[in-house]
Amino acid sequence: MAQNIERVEAIMTAAPVIAVLIVNDPKKAVPMAEALVRGGIPGIEITLRTPNALDCIKAVADNVEGALVGAGTVLNHQQYEASVKAGSTFVVSPGATDNLIAAAEDFPQAPLLPGAGTASEVMKLLEAGYERLKFFPAVPAGGTPMLKGLSSPLAAAKFCPTGGINLGNARDFLALPNVLCVGGSWIADAKAIESEDWAGIEKRACEAAALTV
């Protein structure tokens, strides 16, 4: 089963940035997500890097109107299934394996945005019917020059670069023809979440939502 490109692209184009988050407290996840949505960033990727990440996804899915919440750092079928049960509307992975692609076929309601960092990885995903990809880790993997190099020979692939993206360089990535959005953690980093700086998160979300090229 090929990727549901229409559904994935709707998430990728909802705003210039998808917020990539590490959060462990469901009680903080809700006001955090509300601040992001108020600021114009509905795409919220909660990474499975904390013990309570799934509970945070469920809290946002159940309580935050307008949020497009997904799970990040998904590595296998078990995590994929748990993410969908928690309420994820999309799933993001740092790379791609045959098992993960198979998991995505089992849960079409939550399409996969798989990671790729080389031309060969992109080609393999294109062969599997995946045209909307995460470019990861974006800056270490070659940044904008690498994406420019991929744009002509692999024109069908459109990306969400993630890894090393910030307010200062996001516009450079967004200017590329094969970039639909970027993923970034600067909008709501761990310090801001821990200190409950919802006003600061909303302010940075507004700045991110206003990024244009």
Side-chain angles (χ1 to χ4, degrees):
M1 183 186 300
Q3 182 184 41
N4 188 330
I5 294 173
E6 183 178 355
R7 184 173 292 185
V8 173
E9 190 162 309
I11 294 166
M12 295 174 73
T13 57
V17 182
I18 293 175
V20 181
L21 310 165
I22 299 175
V23 57
N24 191 48
D25 186 347
K27 293 180 180 179
K28 292 182 179 179
V30 170
M32 172 205 70
E34 290 173 339
L36 289 167
V37 172
R38 285 196 305 269
I41 301 296
I44 299 170
E45 175 191 337
I46 295 178
T47 60
L48 302 190
R49 302 184 193 180
T50 66
N52 297 318
L54 290 169
D55 292 333
C56 292
I57 290 170
K58 179 171 174 53
V60 173
D62 290 348
N63 296 289
V64 185
E65 185 176 356
L68 302 171
V69 64
T73 322
V74 174
L75 306 178
N76 54 51
H77 193 287
Q78 181 180 5
Q79 290 179 333
Y80 207 119
E81 182 175 7
S83 299
V84 173
K85 287 182 177 179
S88 296
T89 58
F90 65 102
V91 169
V92 185
S93 60
T97 65
D98 292 341
N99 287 335
L100 197 61
I101 297 296
E105 294 178 357
D106 288 341
F107 303 101
Q109 69 271 39
L112 175 65
L113 183 66
T118 67
S120 293
E121 291 170 354
V122 174
M123 289 171 64
K124 289 178 180 178
L125 284 164
L126 288 173
E127 283 185 353
Y130 282 73
E131 297 183 359
R132 301 296 176 262
L133 312 174
K134 169 182 173 178
F135 181 63
F136 179 81
V139 172
T144 55
M146 179 65 169
L147 283 166
K148 286 178 183 178
L150 295 174
S151 63
S152 181
L154 301 173
K158 307 294 182 185
F159 297 93
C160 172
T162 304
I165 310 292
N166 53 52
L167 187 63
N169 63 12
R171 188 173 277 109
D172 294 334
F173 283 91
L174 291 166
L176 299 175
N178 57 345
V179 170
L180 297 180
C181 66
V182 299
S185 59
W186 84 89
I187 303 171
D189 60 21
K191 183 178 179 181
I193 296 170
E194 182 62 29
S195 64
E196 302 185 6
D197 181 19
W198 313 135
I201 290 173
E202 183 177 352
K203 177 179 180 291
R204 288 186 290 277
C206 288
E207 294 171 342
L211 285 168
T212 56
V213 295

